[in-house]
PDB file of all heavy atoms in Angstrom:
ATOM      1  N   PHE A  45      18.048  50.904  66.750  1.00  0.00           N
ATOM      2  CA  PHE A  45      17.045  51.904  66.390  1.00  0.00           C
ATOM      3  C   PHE A  45      15.661  51.355  66.683  1.00  0.00           C
ATOM      4  O   PHE A  45      15.430  50.157  66.590  1.00  0.00           O
ATOM      5  CB  PHE A  45      17.127  52.254  64.892  1.00  0.00           C
ATOM      6  CG  PHE A  45      18.245  53.182  64.542  1.00  0.00           C
ATOM      7  CD1 PHE A  45      19.522  52.692  64.322  1.00  0.00           C
ATOM      8  CD2 PHE A  45      18.032  54.545  64.435  1.00  0.00           C
ATOM      9  CE1 PHE A  45      20.570  53.551  64.005  1.00  0.00           C
ATOM     10  CE2 PHE A  45      19.057  55.408  64.112  1.00  0.00           C
ATOM     11  CZ  PHE A  45      20.332  54.907  63.895  1.00  0.00           C
ATOM     12  N   THR A  46      14.756  52.248  67.048  1.00  0.00           N
ATOM     13  CA  THR A  46      13.355  51.892  67.201  1.00  0.00           C
ATOM     14  C   THR A  46      12.545  52.683  66.177  1.00  0.00           C
ATOM     15  O   THR A  46      12.995  53.709  65.670  1.00  0.00           O
ATOM     16  CB  THR A  46      12.834  52.208  68.619  1.00  0.00           C
ATOM     17  OG1 THR A  46      13.043  53.592  68.886  1.00  0.00           O
ATOM     18  CG2 THR A  46      13.546  51.380  69.669  1.00  0.00           C
ATOM     19  N   ARG A  47      11.347  52.181  65.904  1.00  0.00           N
ATOM     20  CA  ARG A  47      10.455  52.850  64.949  1.00  0.00           C
ATOM     21  C   ARG A  47       9.324  53.520  65.684  1.00  0.00           C
ATOM     22  O   ARG A  47       8.849  53.025  66.696  1.00  0.00           O
ATOM     23  CB  ARG A  47       9.830  51.832  63.982  1.00  0.00           C
ATOM     24  CG  ARG A  47      10.783  51.237  63.028  1.00  0.00           C
ATOM     25  CD  ARG A  47      10.099  50.335  61.998  1.00  0.00           C
ATOM     26  NE  ARG A  47       9.291  49.298  62.603  1.00  0.00           N
ATOM     27  CZ  ARG A  47       8.084  48.952  62.178  1.00  0.00           C
ATOM     28  NH1 ARG A  47       7.527  49.550  61.160  1.00  0.00           N
ATOM     29  NH2 ARG A  47       7.414  47.994  62.778  1.00  0.00           N
ATOM     30  N   GLN A  48       8.892  54.644  65.139  1.00  0.00           N
ATOM     31  CA  GLN A  48       7.724  55.362  65.648  1.00  0.00           C
ATOM     32  C   GLN A  48       7.829  55.560  67.161  1.00  0.00           C
ATOM     33  O   GLN A  48       7.019  55.089  67.938  1.00  0.00           O
ATOM     34  CB  GLN A  48       6.438  54.638  65.254  1.00  0.00           C
ATOM     35  CG  GLN A  48       6.296  54.395  63.767  1.00  0.00           C
ATOM     36  CD  GLN A  48       6.375  55.659  62.922  1.00  0.00           C
ATOM     37  OE1 GLN A  48       6.109  56.747  63.397  1.00  0.00           O
ATOM     38  NE2 GLN A  48       6.748  55.519  61.661  1.00  0.00           N
ATOM     39  N   LYS A  49       8.852  56.279  67.553  1.00  0.00           N
ATOM     40  CA  LYS A  49       9.186  56.514  68.957  1.00  0.00           C
ATOM     41  C   LYS A  49       8.528  57.803  69.450  1.00  0.00           C
ATOM     42  O   LYS A  49       8.805  58.884  68.934  1.00  0.00           O
ATOM     43  CB  LYS A  49      10.700  56.623  69.087  1.00  0.00           C
ATOM     44  CG  LYS A  49      11.200  57.055  70.433  1.00  0.00           C
ATOM     45  CD  LYS A  49      11.144  55.935  71.404  1.00  0.00           C
ATOM     46  CE  LYS A  49      11.840  56.356  72.698  1.00  0.00           C
ATOM     47  NZ  LYS A  49      11.647  55.384  73.721  1.00  0.00           N
ATOM     48  N   PRO A  50       7.648  57.714  70.450  1.00  0.00           N
ATOM     49  CA  PRO A  50       7.099  58.939  71.040  1.00  0.00           C
ATOM     50  C   PRO A  50       8.182  59.694  71.821  1.00  0.00           C
ATOM     51  O   PRO A  50       8.875  59.104  72.654  1.00  0.00           O
ATOM     52  CB  PRO A  50       6.012  58.436  71.992  1.00  0.00           C
ATOM     53  CG  PRO A  50       5.700  57.046  71.548  1.00  0.00           C
ATOM     54  CD  PRO A  50       6.984  56.517  70.991  1.00  0.00           C
ATOM     55  N   ILE A  51       8.347  60.946  71.494  1.00  0.00           N
ATOM     56  CA  ILE A  51       9.247  61.846  72.215  1.00  0.00           C
ATOM     57  C   ILE A  51       8.491  63.157  72.395  1.00  0.00           C
ATOM     58  O   ILE A  51       8.043  63.752  71.417  1.00  0.00           O
ATOM     59  CB  ILE A  51      10.561  62.084  71.456  1.00  0.00           C
ATOM     60  CG1 ILE A  51      11.374  60.795  71.367  1.00  0.00           C
ATOM     61  CG2 ILE A  51      11.375  63.198  72.110  1.00  0.00           C
ATOM     62  CD1 ILE A  51      12.703  60.935  70.637  1.00  0.00           C
ATOM     63  N   ASP A  52       8.360  63.581  73.641  1.00  0.00           N
ATOM     64  CA  ASP A  52       7.611  64.783  73.961  1.00  0.00           C
ATOM     65  C   ASP A  52       6.206  64.642  73.359  1.00  0.00           C
ATOM     66  O   ASP A  52       5.524  63.668  73.638  1.00  0.00           O
ATOM     67  CB  ASP A  52       8.360  66.025  73.477  1.00  0.00           C
ATOM     68  CG  ASP A  52       7.821  67.316  74.069  1.00  0.00           C
ATOM     69  OD1 ASP A  52       7.500  67.336  75.267  1.00  0.00           O
ATOM     70  OD2 ASP A  52       7.721  68.303  73.328  1.00  0.00           O
ATOM     71  N   ASN A  53       5.785  65.566  72.536  1.00  0.00           N
ATOM     72  CA  ASN A  53       4.462  65.495  71.913  1.00  0.00           C
ATOM     73  C   ASN A  53       4.531  65.102  70.447  1.00  0.00           C
ATOM     74  O   ASN A  53       3.638  65.438  69.664  1.00  0.00           O
ATOM     75  CB  ASN A  53       3.735  66.836  72.073  1.00  0.00           C
ATOM     76  CG  ASN A  53       3.316  67.062  73.506  1.00  0.00           C
ATOM     77  OD1 ASN A  53       2.759  66.173  74.139  1.00  0.00           O
ATOM     78  ND2 ASN A  53       3.602  68.237  74.031  1.00  0.00           N
ATOM     79  N   TYR A  54       5.597  64.390  70.077  1.00  0.00           N
ATOM     80  CA  TYR A  54       5.822  64.006  68.692  1.00  0.00           C
ATOM     81  C   TYR A  54       6.071  62.510  68.602  1.00  0.00           C
ATOM     82  O   TYR A  54       6.404  61.859  69.588  1.00  0.00           O
ATOM     83  CB  TYR A  54       7.038  64.743  68.127  1.00  0.00           C
ATOM     84  CG  TYR A  54       6.913  66.236  68.228  1.00  0.00           C
ATOM     85  CD1 TYR A  54       7.540  66.946  69.248  1.00  0.00           C
ATOM     86  CD2 TYR A  54       6.148  66.955  67.318  1.00  0.00           C
ATOM     87  CE1 TYR A  54       7.423  68.316  69.355  1.00  0.00           C
ATOM     88  CE2 TYR A  54       6.022  68.334  67.418  1.00  0.00           C
ATOM     89  CZ  TYR A  54       6.661  69.000  68.432  1.00  0.00           C
ATOM     90  OH  TYR A  54       6.534  70.362  68.533  1.00  0.00           O
ATOM     91  N   ILE A  55       5.945  61.990  67.395  1.00  0.00           N
ATOM     92  CA  ILE A  55       6.339  60.617  67.115  1.00  0.00           C
ATOM     93  C   ILE A  55       7.430  60.689  66.052  1.00  0.00           C
ATOM     94  O   ILE A  55       7.235  61.277  64.982  1.00  0.00           O
ATOM     95  CB  ILE A  55       5.158  59.763  66.640  1.00  0.00           C
ATOM     96  CG1 ILE A  55       4.101  59.680  67.743  1.00  0.00           C
ATOM     97  CG2 ILE A  55       5.639  58.365  66.249  1.00  0.00           C
ATOM     98  CD1 ILE A  55       2.852  58.934  67.363  1.00  0.00           C
ATOM     99  N   ILE A  56       8.567  60.085  66.369  1.00  0.00           N
ATOM    100  CA  ILE A  56       9.743  60.118  65.499  1.00  0.00           C
ATOM    101  C   ILE A  56       9.772  58.835  64.676  1.00  0.00           C
ATOM    102  O   ILE A  56       9.602  57.743  65.227  1.00  0.00           O
ATOM    103  CB  ILE A  56      11.036  60.234  66.350  1.00  0.00           C
ATOM    104  CG1 ILE A  56      10.937  61.397  67.337  1.00  0.00           C
ATOM    105  CG2 ILE A  56      12.263  60.327  65.472  1.00  0.00           C
ATOM    106  CD1 ILE A  56      10.671  62.735  66.722  1.00  0.00           C
ATOM    107  N   ASP A  57      10.044  58.941  63.383  1.00  0.00           N
ATOM    108  CA  ASP A  57      10.058  57.754  62.517  1.00  0.00           C
ATOM    109  C   ASP A  57      11.049  56.706  63.020  1.00  0.00           C
ATOM    110  O   ASP A  57      10.704  55.540  63.171  1.00  0.00           O
ATOM    111  CB  ASP A  57      10.387  58.135  61.069  1.00  0.00           C
ATOM    112  CG  ASP A  57       9.275  58.942  60.415  1.00  0.00           C
ATOM    113  OD1 ASP A  57       8.114  58.861  60.862  1.00  0.00           O
ATOM    114  OD2 ASP A  57       9.574  59.660  59.441  1.00  0.00           O
ATOM    115  N   PHE A  58      12.304  57.115  63.252  1.00  0.00           N
ATOM    116  CA  PHE A  58      13.347  56.201  63.734  1.00  0.00           C
ATOM    117  C   PHE A  58      14.164  56.921  64.798  1.00  0.00           C
ATOM    118  O   PHE A  58      14.478  58.104  64.651  1.00  0.00           O
ATOM    119  CB  PHE A  58      14.274  55.773  62.593  1.00  0.00           C
ATOM    120  CG  PHE A  58      13.550  55.138  61.447  1.00  0.00           C
ATOM    121  CD1 PHE A  58      13.270  55.864  60.309  1.00  0.00           C
ATOM    122  CD2 PHE A  58      13.145  53.817  61.507  1.00  0.00           C
ATOM    123  CE1 PHE A  58      12.586  55.302  59.245  1.00  0.00           C
ATOM    124  CE2 PHE A  58      12.451  53.239  60.449  1.00  0.00           C
ATOM    125  CZ  PHE A  58      12.179  53.984  59.320  1.00  0.00           C
ATOM    126  N   TYR A  59      14.544  56.183  65.844  1.00  0.00           N
ATOM    127  CA  TYR A  59      15.280  56.814  66.934  1.00  0.00           C
ATOM    128  C   TYR A  59      16.297  55.848  67.516  1.00  0.00           C
ATOM    129  O   TYR A  59      15.990  54.689  67.776  1.00  0.00           O
ATOM    130  CB  TYR A  59      14.317  57.271  68.035  1.00  0.00           C
ATOM    131  CG  TYR A  59      15.001  58.013  69.142  1.00  0.00           C
ATOM    132  CD1 TYR A  59      15.508  59.296  68.930  1.00  0.00           C
ATOM    133  CD2 TYR A  59      15.167  57.448  70.394  1.00  0.00           C
ATOM    134  CE1 TYR A  59      16.154  59.986  69.943  1.00  0.00           C
ATOM    135  CE2 TYR A  59      15.803  58.133  71.417  1.00  0.00           C
ATOM    136  CZ  TYR A  59      16.297  59.397  71.182  1.00  0.00           C
ATOM    137  OH  TYR A  59      16.938  60.073  72.179  1.00  0.00           O
ATOM    138  N   CYS A  60      17.508  56.363  67.729  1.00  0.00           N
ATOM    139  CA  CYS A  60      18.559  55.624  68.409  1.00  0.00           C
ATOM    140  C   CYS A  60      18.812  56.307  69.745  1.00  0.00           C
ATOM    141  O   CYS A  60      19.337  57.423  69.784  1.00  0.00           O
ATOM    142  CB  CYS A  60      19.844  55.592  67.580  1.00  0.00           C
ATOM    143  SG  CYS A  60      21.216  54.772  68.420  1.00  0.00           S
TER     144      CYS A  60
END
Side-chain angles (χ1 to χ4, degrees):
F45 282 84
T46 57
R47 291 186 305 137
Q48 305 303 336
K49 172 77 172 172
I51 294 180
D52 194 41
N53 289 313
Y54 303 100
I55 297 176
I56 308 303
D57 292 337
F58 304 100
Y59 184 71
C60 177

